[in-house]
Amino acid sequence: MIHRKDRFALIILILFQLGILWYFVRIPTHYHQDEFITAFTSWTLPPITKLDWFAAYPPVWVSQFPVLFHILQKPFFWIFGPTVTAVRISVWPYAIGILVYLYFLTKILYSRKLAIIVGIIYSAFAPHVYLSSMGLHFISSTFFYIAALTHFVAGQNVAAGIFSGAAYLTYTSSYITYPVIALIGIFTNRRGLVTTTLVALLILSPFLVYAATVNNFFTQRVSQVNALWGTWSDPAKQQIAPLAIIQKQTIDAFRSLVIPGVGGLGGYNFGKLGLLDTITAVLLAIGFIMLLGGAVKKSGNRIVLIALLVPFTTGFILTTHPPPFHRLSIIYPFLALIVGLTITRFRFVVVLSGIVIVANLLHTNYMIKADANIYPQNSRLIAEYITQNIPPGQPIQIAAYPSFYLGQELLFRTNNHYPITTGETGNILDGYRGGTLLLLNPTKENLDKLRAMYPNSSTLRSIDGVSLGDITLFRPVKK
Amino acid sequence: MNRSLVIWLAVLVLQAIVAIHVYTRQVSIVSLVFWLLSIILARFVL
């Protein structure tokens, strides 16, 4: 039973969190194409009676993940329709869950007062707000990680096992959950660890059978992104010595926390700024030293250190370069916790918390504003053009290759008001009988053919002065 | 027989059914139901 004081504090924290997320969700230039690829997988998931429950999806992407996230995302599209807002709101239950677990974990390890401060700081914590205001599945990894840890620390071993198992049914960053729990359990709760292990195995067993017999998605992502022998790792391909890779990546990992231009990978640019603003970074550094200093006496400090440092090493230092801020997301709550620990050591807790919140919200804003000039905005502009100039129901064709992301993104950006077909360029052009056509890197020959067929056509390579990049928009009639 | 042991055996049987389904690619909602049942039953044993 949740105490009345906790319930009240949590309601306020959740409202504060959702208010902040709602503000940043509505900034149109803030997006990532992975949001829509993920959402499209959920949208097109087979009916529950035909679904391969223990398989990995989507079959056409570079990486596959179990269906859990998609199953839980799909109902949001039934309720809100396939919209950009629905994509973003679909991750809010995880954001709320993380906040609740962070609150209780902090309360168990330290105090209610610190739990409230940490909850407030985390709600505004710039890296978290930046990432969680998009509909990405990294947030589910953070949720399962902190949920498993909190239940384990609270002695609820079965629940810890369920969440430990679930941590392997989402993004790879939470694969570290069980090793972290095992490390904590060996020193604090060996009997509980046995129960947690058995339940986690029970959860995972059918997925392990699938992985062993059909497609081993558990090791797929790791073998792509790990720094030492991963197929996506440039230093590994250049056969640079492992020690040299680790040394460079460790230095860069720490530098990227404050120095602009070091971190951010795969379009998760965070404005190409440091992950943290200066004030938060200083408080974090002080808190980390305090945490280390008290680690011998306080078991809470040891647990936080393990929960922080193990994923920092495996997910941030030992994966592909430059430092991937998005893979660090499972420890964002712990970074906020350490900042909170520092703040409570000072006199003016309320004033200092206020300064940290403002600094983080400003930093989020700077990152998102900077992203507008870094991240390609072509798909957003194309969607705006379509909704403003083309009547709903008119077909849109995309000549690229079947799994090209643009159609998946346009489905959500146009609220599924247009029938969109994506296919191989040759096939689409062969069957083209008019209508709006989007071409990926079209050849001059293909464009000339289209113009010869439709002399009154219009071809757009930019909208409102912004380049469409590798996309060309063709309409058989003048605008 | 010990009640916990009976439940534990039931858990194992259900898990085996799910495993065979997955192995033979006859994955369906039936295997999902068995899987969920085995997790619920495990709560009573552990």
Side-chain angles (χ1 to χ4, degrees), chain A residues 400-427:
Chain A
Y401 50 90
S403 61
F404 187 51
Y405 79 94
L406 185 61
Q408 304 176 7
E409 182 168 340
L410 290 181
L411 184 143
F412 293 94
R413 287 197 177 278
T414 61
N415 304 355
N416 198 24
H417 285 160
Y418 301 86
I420 300 169
T421 314
T422 305
E424 294 292 348
T425 303
N427 295 343

PDB file of all heavy atoms in Angstrom, chain A residues 400-427:
ATOM      1  N   ALA A 400      11.742   3.872 -54.244  1.00  0.00           N
ATOM      2  CA  ALA A 400      13.022   3.745 -53.523  1.00  0.00           C
ATOM      3  C   ALA A 400      13.339   2.258 -53.378  1.00  0.00           C
ATOM      4  O   ALA A 400      13.859   1.634 -54.304  1.00  0.00           O
ATOM      5  CB  ALA A 400      12.910   4.407 -52.156  1.00  0.00           C
ATOM      6  N   TYR A 401      12.981   1.677 -52.238  1.00  0.00           N
ATOM      7  CA  TYR A 401      13.034   0.230 -51.998  1.00  0.00           C
ATOM      8  C   TYR A 401      11.966  -0.071 -50.939  1.00  0.00           C
ATOM      9  O   TYR A 401      11.550   0.827 -50.191  1.00  0.00           O
ATOM     10  CB  TYR A 401      14.431  -0.222 -51.551  1.00  0.00           C
ATOM     11  CG  TYR A 401      15.025   0.569 -50.421  1.00  0.00           C
ATOM     12  CD1 TYR A 401      14.815   0.205 -49.093  1.00  0.00           C
ATOM     13  CD2 TYR A 401      15.783   1.722 -50.669  1.00  0.00           C
ATOM     14  CE1 TYR A 401      15.349   0.949 -48.059  1.00  0.00           C
ATOM     15  CE2 TYR A 401      16.313   2.471 -49.632  1.00  0.00           C
ATOM     16  CZ  TYR A 401      16.098   2.076 -48.334  1.00  0.00           C
ATOM     17  OH  TYR A 401      16.623   2.820 -47.313  1.00  0.00           O
ATOM     18  N   PRO A 402      11.467  -1.312 -50.869  1.00  0.00           N
ATOM     19  CA  PRO A 402      10.257  -1.578 -50.066  1.00  0.00           C
ATOM     20  C   PRO A 402      10.326  -1.138 -48.599  1.00  0.00           C
ATOM     21  O   PRO A 402       9.331  -0.684 -48.054  1.00  0.00           O
ATOM     22  CB  PRO A 402      10.090  -3.100 -50.173  1.00  0.00           C
ATOM     23  CG  PRO A 402      10.746  -3.450 -51.468  1.00  0.00           C
ATOM     24  CD  PRO A 402      11.903  -2.504 -51.623  1.00  0.00           C
ATOM     25  N   SER A 403      11.502  -1.247 -47.962  1.00  0.00           N
ATOM     26  CA  SER A 403      11.543  -0.921 -46.525  1.00  0.00           C
ATOM     27  C   SER A 403      11.968   0.526 -46.263  1.00  0.00           C
ATOM     28  O   SER A 403      12.247   0.885 -45.117  1.00  0.00           O
ATOM     29  CB  SER A 403      12.498  -1.874 -45.809  1.00  0.00           C
ATOM     30  OG  SER A 403      13.809  -1.720 -46.341  1.00  0.00           O
ATOM     31  N   PHE A 404      11.997   1.373 -47.305  1.00  0.00           N
ATOM     32  CA  PHE A 404      12.416   2.773 -47.139  1.00  0.00           C
ATOM     33  C   PHE A 404      11.513   3.449 -46.106  1.00  0.00           C
ATOM     34  O   PHE A 404      10.293   3.333 -46.160  1.00  0.00           O
ATOM     35  CB  PHE A 404      12.341   3.483 -48.495  1.00  0.00           C
ATOM     36  CG  PHE A 404      12.912   4.870 -48.494  1.00  0.00           C
ATOM     37  CD1 PHE A 404      14.172   5.114 -47.988  1.00  0.00           C
ATOM     38  CD2 PHE A 404      12.180   5.937 -49.011  1.00  0.00           C
ATOM     39  CE1 PHE A 404      14.708   6.403 -47.994  1.00  0.00           C
ATOM     40  CE2 PHE A 404      12.704   7.226 -49.026  1.00  0.00           C
ATOM     41  CZ  PHE A 404      13.969   7.449 -48.503  1.00  0.00           C
ATOM     42  N   TYR A 405      12.123   4.200 -45.179  1.00  0.00           N
ATOM     43  CA  TYR A 405      11.403   4.708 -44.001  1.00  0.00           C
ATOM     44  C   TYR A 405      10.344   5.774 -44.321  1.00  0.00           C
ATOM     45  O   TYR A 405       9.394   5.958 -43.553  1.00  0.00           O
ATOM     46  CB  TYR A 405      12.410   5.302 -43.006  1.00  0.00           C
ATOM     47  CG  TYR A 405      12.869   6.688 -43.398  1.00  0.00           C
ATOM     48  CD1 TYR A 405      12.237   7.823 -42.893  1.00  0.00           C
ATOM     49  CD2 TYR A 405      13.889   6.865 -44.319  1.00  0.00           C
ATOM     50  CE1 TYR A 405      12.635   9.091 -43.288  1.00  0.00           C
ATOM     51  CE2 TYR A 405      14.287   8.128 -44.722  1.00  0.00           C
ATOM     52  CZ  TYR A 405      13.651   9.236 -44.206  1.00  0.00           C
ATOM     53  OH  TYR A 405      14.017  10.489 -44.602  1.00  0.00           O
ATOM     54  N   LEU A 406      10.493   6.490 -45.445  1.00  0.00           N
ATOM     55  CA  LEU A 406       9.683   7.695 -45.668  1.00  0.00           C
ATOM     56  C   LEU A 406       8.174   7.421 -45.619  1.00  0.00           C
ATOM     57  O   LEU A 406       7.414   8.161 -44.984  1.00  0.00           O
ATOM     58  CB  LEU A 406      10.062   8.353 -46.998  1.00  0.00           C
ATOM     59  CG  LEU A 406       9.379   9.679 -47.290  1.00  0.00           C
ATOM     60  CD1 LEU A 406       9.702  10.737 -46.243  1.00  0.00           C
ATOM     61  CD2 LEU A 406       9.768  10.201 -48.683  1.00  0.00           C
ATOM     62  N   GLY A 407       7.731   6.349 -46.262  1.00  0.00           N
ATOM     63  CA  GLY A 407       6.299   6.028 -46.274  1.00  0.00           C
ATOM     64  C   GLY A 407       5.787   5.738 -44.873  1.00  0.00           C
ATOM     65  O   GLY A 407       4.663   6.099 -44.513  1.00  0.00           O
ATOM     66  N   GLN A 408       6.660   5.087 -44.067  1.00  0.00           N
ATOM     67  CA  GLN A 408       6.283   4.748 -42.695  1.00  0.00           C
ATOM     68  C   GLN A 408       6.096   6.033 -41.881  1.00  0.00           C
ATOM     69  O   GLN A 408       5.159   6.150 -41.087  1.00  0.00           O
ATOM     70  CB  GLN A 408       7.371   3.869 -42.079  1.00  0.00           C
ATOM     71  CG  GLN A 408       7.638   2.622 -42.918  1.00  0.00           C
ATOM     72  CD  GLN A 408       8.781   1.768 -42.411  1.00  0.00           C
ATOM     73  OE1 GLN A 408       9.337   2.004 -41.356  1.00  0.00           O
ATOM     74  NE2 GLN A 408       9.145   0.762 -43.191  1.00  0.00           N
ATOM     75  N   GLU A 409       6.986   6.988 -42.121  1.00  0.00           N
ATOM     76  CA  GLU A 409       6.887   8.264 -41.403  1.00  0.00           C
ATOM     77  C   GLU A 409       5.667   9.063 -41.877  1.00  0.00           C
ATOM     78  O   GLU A 409       4.927   9.627 -41.063  1.00  0.00           O
ATOM     79  CB  GLU A 409       8.178   9.077 -41.612  1.00  0.00           C
ATOM     80  CG  GLU A 409       8.154  10.382 -40.861  1.00  0.00           C
ATOM     81  CD  GLU A 409       9.519  11.067 -40.808  1.00  0.00           C
ATOM     82  OE1 GLU A 409      10.552  10.393 -41.007  1.00  0.00           O
ATOM     83  OE2 GLU A 409       9.535  12.279 -40.561  1.00  0.00           O
ATOM     84  N   LEU A 410       5.454   9.080 -43.208  1.00  0.00           N
ATOM     85  CA  LEU A 410       4.333   9.865 -43.757  1.00  0.00           C
ATOM     86  C   LEU A 410       2.983   9.343 -43.273  1.00  0.00           C
ATOM     87  O   LEU A 410       2.045  10.114 -43.098  1.00  0.00           O
ATOM     88  CB  LEU A 410       4.384   9.861 -45.286  1.00  0.00           C
ATOM     89  CG  LEU A 410       5.527  10.660 -45.920  1.00  0.00           C
ATOM     90  CD1 LEU A 410       5.455  10.590 -47.441  1.00  0.00           C
ATOM     91  CD2 LEU A 410       5.504  12.122 -45.474  1.00  0.00           C
ATOM     92  N   LEU A 411       2.898   8.030 -43.044  1.00  0.00           N
ATOM     93  CA  LEU A 411       1.634   7.456 -42.560  1.00  0.00           C
ATOM     94  C   LEU A 411       1.200   8.160 -41.272  1.00  0.00           C
ATOM     95  O   LEU A 411       0.041   8.535 -41.109  1.00  0.00           O
ATOM     96  CB  LEU A 411       1.815   5.958 -42.306  1.00  0.00           C
ATOM     97  CG  LEU A 411       0.572   5.180 -41.878  1.00  0.00           C
ATOM     98  CD1 LEU A 411       0.601   3.797 -42.501  1.00  0.00           C
ATOM     99  CD2 LEU A 411       0.432   5.042 -40.381  1.00  0.00           C
ATOM    100  N   PHE A 412       2.159   8.340 -40.356  1.00  0.00           N
ATOM    101  CA  PHE A 412       1.830   8.974 -39.075  1.00  0.00           C
ATOM    102  C   PHE A 412       1.709  10.493 -39.205  1.00  0.00           C
ATOM    103  O   PHE A 412       0.881  11.113 -38.553  1.00  0.00           O
ATOM    104  CB  PHE A 412       2.885   8.607 -38.020  1.00  0.00           C
ATOM    105  CG  PHE A 412       2.839   7.149 -37.671  1.00  0.00           C
ATOM    106  CD1 PHE A 412       3.663   6.237 -38.307  1.00  0.00           C
ATOM    107  CD2 PHE A 412       1.932   6.673 -36.737  1.00  0.00           C
ATOM    108  CE1 PHE A 412       3.598   4.890 -38.003  1.00  0.00           C
ATOM    109  CE2 PHE A 412       1.862   5.326 -36.430  1.00  0.00           C
ATOM    110  CZ  PHE A 412       2.691   4.424 -37.070  1.00  0.00           C
ATOM    111  N   ARG A 413       2.531  11.075 -40.080  1.00  0.00           N
ATOM    112  CA  ARG A 413       2.501  12.540 -40.226  1.00  0.00           C
ATOM    113  C   ARG A 413       1.235  13.006 -40.958  1.00  0.00           C
ATOM    114  O   ARG A 413       0.836  14.154 -40.824  1.00  0.00           O
ATOM    115  CB  ARG A 413       3.734  13.021 -40.984  1.00  0.00           C
ATOM    116  CG  ARG A 413       5.010  12.955 -40.150  1.00  0.00           C
ATOM    117  CD  ARG A 413       6.093  13.798 -40.761  1.00  0.00           C
ATOM    118  NE  ARG A 413       7.292  13.800 -39.956  1.00  0.00           N
ATOM    119  CZ  ARG A 413       7.478  14.572 -38.892  1.00  0.00           C
ATOM    120  NH1 ARG A 413       6.528  15.387 -38.502  1.00  0.00           N
ATOM    121  NH2 ARG A 413       8.615  14.522 -38.218  1.00  0.00           N
ATOM    122  N   THR A 414       0.643  12.135 -41.757  1.00  0.00           N
ATOM    123  CA  THR A 414      -0.579  12.516 -42.483  1.00  0.00           C
ATOM    124  C   THR A 414      -1.812  11.836 -41.886  1.00  0.00           C
ATOM    125  O   THR A 414      -2.864  11.787 -42.522  1.00  0.00           O
ATOM    126  CB  THR A 414      -0.457  12.128 -43.973  1.00  0.00           C
ATOM    127  OG1 THR A 414      -0.283  10.703 -44.048  1.00  0.00           O
ATOM    128  CG2 THR A 414       0.714  12.804 -44.656  1.00  0.00           C
ATOM    129  N   ASN A 415      -1.653  11.282 -40.696  1.00  0.00           N
ATOM    130  CA  ASN A 415      -2.757  10.600 -39.986  1.00  0.00           C
ATOM    131  C   ASN A 415      -3.412   9.510 -40.832  1.00  0.00           C
ATOM    132  O   ASN A 415      -4.625   9.303 -40.756  1.00  0.00           O
ATOM    133  CB  ASN A 415      -3.822  11.594 -39.518  1.00  0.00           C
ATOM    134  CG  ASN A 415      -3.246  12.685 -38.645  1.00  0.00           C
ATOM    135  OD1 ASN A 415      -2.059  12.652 -38.316  1.00  0.00           O
ATOM    136  ND2 ASN A 415      -4.057  13.641 -38.261  1.00  0.00           N
ATOM    137  N   ASN A 416      -2.633   8.858 -41.660  1.00  0.00           N
ATOM    138  CA  ASN A 416      -3.098   7.757 -42.519  1.00  0.00           C
ATOM    139  C   ASN A 416      -4.230   8.195 -43.449  1.00  0.00           C
ATOM    140  O   ASN A 416      -5.136   7.413 -43.744  1.00  0.00           O
ATOM    141  CB  ASN A 416      -3.540   6.567 -41.644  1.00  0.00           C
ATOM    142  CG  ASN A 416      -3.614   5.275 -42.425  1.00  0.00           C
ATOM    143  OD1 ASN A 416      -2.963   5.115 -43.456  1.00  0.00           O
ATOM    144  ND2 ASN A 416      -4.415   4.331 -41.949  1.00  0.00           N
ATOM    145  N   HIS A 417      -4.176   9.433 -43.906  1.00  0.00           N
ATOM    146  CA  HIS A 417      -5.235   9.936 -44.794  1.00  0.00           C
ATOM    147  C   HIS A 417      -4.933   9.719 -46.283  1.00  0.00           C
ATOM    148  O   HIS A 417      -5.720  10.116 -47.132  1.00  0.00           O
ATOM    149  CB  HIS A 417      -5.480  11.431 -44.532  1.00  0.00           C
ATOM    150  CG  HIS A 417      -6.247  11.668 -43.267  1.00  0.00           C
ATOM    151  ND1 HIS A 417      -6.255  12.866 -42.596  1.00  0.00           N
ATOM    152  CD2 HIS A 417      -7.036  10.829 -42.532  1.00  0.00           C
ATOM    153  CE1 HIS A 417      -7.008  12.770 -41.515  1.00  0.00           C
ATOM    154  NE2 HIS A 417      -7.492  11.545 -41.455  1.00  0.00           N
ATOM    155  N   TYR A 418      -3.774   9.157 -46.577  1.00  0.00           N
ATOM    156  CA  TYR A 418      -3.399   8.932 -47.979  1.00  0.00           C
ATOM    157  C   TYR A 418      -2.934   7.483 -48.150  1.00  0.00           C
ATOM    158  O   TYR A 418      -2.181   6.981 -47.317  1.00  0.00           O
ATOM    159  CB  TYR A 418      -2.236   9.862 -48.378  1.00  0.00           C
ATOM    160  CG  TYR A 418      -2.549  11.322 -48.224  1.00  0.00           C
ATOM    161  CD1 TYR A 418      -2.368  11.969 -47.003  1.00  0.00           C
ATOM    162  CD2 TYR A 418      -3.031  12.061 -49.302  1.00  0.00           C
ATOM    163  CE1 TYR A 418      -2.668  13.314 -46.846  1.00  0.00           C
ATOM    164  CE2 TYR A 418      -3.326  13.409 -49.151  1.00  0.00           C
ATOM    165  CZ  TYR A 418      -3.146  14.030 -47.920  1.00  0.00           C
ATOM    166  OH  TYR A 418      -3.447  15.357 -47.781  1.00  0.00           O
ATOM    167  N   PRO A 419      -3.371   6.809 -49.198  1.00  0.00           N
ATOM    168  CA  PRO A 419      -2.816   5.476 -49.463  1.00  0.00           C
ATOM    169  C   PRO A 419      -1.369   5.620 -49.972  1.00  0.00           C
ATOM    170  O   PRO A 419      -1.130   6.276 -50.985  1.00  0.00           O
ATOM    171  CB  PRO A 419      -3.734   4.905 -50.550  1.00  0.00           C
ATOM    172  CG  PRO A 419      -4.468   6.056 -51.121  1.00  0.00           C
ATOM    173  CD  PRO A 419      -4.403   7.217 -50.165  1.00  0.00           C
ATOM    174  N   ILE A 420      -0.436   5.076 -49.243  1.00  0.00           N
ATOM    175  CA  ILE A 420       0.984   5.255 -49.582  1.00  0.00           C
ATOM    176  C   ILE A 420       1.566   3.912 -50.029  1.00  0.00           C
ATOM    177  O   ILE A 420       1.402   2.902 -49.339  1.00  0.00           O
ATOM    178  CB  ILE A 420       1.779   5.797 -48.371  1.00  0.00           C
ATOM    179  CG1 ILE A 420       1.204   7.146 -47.937  1.00  0.00           C
ATOM    180  CG2 ILE A 420       3.263   5.919 -48.680  1.00  0.00           C
ATOM    181  CD1 ILE A 420       1.721   7.672 -46.609  1.00  0.00           C
ATOM    182  N   THR A 421       2.214   3.924 -51.177  1.00  0.00           N
ATOM    183  CA  THR A 421       2.861   2.711 -51.687  1.00  0.00           C
ATOM    184  C   THR A 421       4.357   2.965 -51.805  1.00  0.00           C
ATOM    185  O   THR A 421       4.771   3.962 -52.397  1.00  0.00           O
ATOM    186  CB  THR A 421       2.328   2.341 -53.089  1.00  0.00           C
ATOM    187  OG1 THR A 421       0.902   2.426 -53.069  1.00  0.00           O
ATOM    188  CG2 THR A 421       2.759   0.957 -53.522  1.00  0.00           C
ATOM    189  N   THR A 422       5.142   2.058 -51.231  1.00  0.00           N
ATOM    190  CA  THR A 422       6.590   2.173 -51.362  1.00  0.00           C
ATOM    191  C   THR A 422       7.104   0.926 -52.073  1.00  0.00           C
ATOM    192  O   THR A 422       6.647  -0.186 -51.777  1.00  0.00           O
ATOM    193  CB  THR A 422       7.256   2.272 -49.965  1.00  0.00           C
ATOM    194  OG1 THR A 422       6.658   3.344 -49.255  1.00  0.00           O
ATOM    195  CG2 THR A 422       8.749   2.505 -50.072  1.00  0.00           C
ATOM    196  N   GLY A 423       8.017   1.106 -53.014  1.00  0.00           N
ATOM    197  CA  GLY A 423       8.551  -0.057 -53.719  1.00  0.00           C
ATOM    198  C   GLY A 423       9.859   0.250 -54.418  1.00  0.00           C
ATOM    199  O   GLY A 423      10.384   1.372 -54.318  1.00  0.00           O
ATOM    200  N   GLU A 424      10.366  -0.766 -55.109  1.00  0.00           N
ATOM    201  CA  GLU A 424      11.588  -0.584 -55.910  1.00  0.00           C
ATOM    202  C   GLU A 424      11.315   0.483 -56.971  1.00  0.00           C
ATOM    203  O   GLU A 424      10.221   0.520 -57.556  1.00  0.00           O
ATOM    204  CB  GLU A 424      11.968  -1.890 -56.609  1.00  0.00           C
ATOM    205  CG  GLU A 424      12.387  -3.015 -55.690  1.00  0.00           C
ATOM    206  CD  GLU A 424      13.709  -2.764 -54.987  1.00  0.00           C
ATOM    207  OE1 GLU A 424      14.435  -1.817 -55.383  1.00  0.00           O
ATOM    208  OE2 GLU A 424      14.001  -3.480 -54.031  1.00  0.00           O
ATOM    209  N   THR A 425      12.303   1.312 -57.235  1.00  0.00           N
ATOM    210  CA  THR A 425      12.114   2.414 -58.180  1.00  0.00           C
ATOM    211  C   THR A 425      11.561   1.918 -59.523  1.00  0.00           C
ATOM    212  O   THR A 425      10.577   2.461 -60.038  1.00  0.00           O
ATOM    213  CB  THR A 425      13.459   3.148 -58.401  1.00  0.00           C
ATOM    214  OG1 THR A 425      13.914   3.592 -57.126  1.00  0.00           O
ATOM    215  CG2 THR A 425      13.314   4.331 -59.327  1.00  0.00           C
ATOM    216  N   GLY A 426      12.166   0.864 -60.060  1.00  0.00           N
ATOM    217  CA  GLY A 426      11.744   0.334 -61.367  1.00  0.00           C
ATOM    218  C   GLY A 426      10.283  -0.074 -61.361  1.00  0.00           C
ATOM    219  O   GLY A 426       9.516   0.292 -62.270  1.00  0.00           O
ATOM    220  N   ASN A 427       9.881  -0.800 -60.339  1.00  0.00           N
ATOM    221  CA  ASN A 427       8.496  -1.293 -60.257  1.00  0.00           C
ATOM    222  C   ASN A 427       7.501  -0.150 -60.141  1.00  0.00           C
ATOM    223  O   ASN A 427       6.444  -0.154 -60.782  1.00  0.00           O
ATOM    224  CB  ASN A 427       8.319  -2.221 -59.040  1.00  0.00           C
ATOM    225  CG  ASN A 427       9.149  -3.483 -59.173  1.00  0.00           C
ATOM    226  OD1 ASN A 427       9.600  -3.812 -60.264  1.00  0.00           O
ATOM    227  ND2 ASN A 427       9.374  -4.158 -58.072  1.00  0.00           N
TER     228      ASN A 427
END
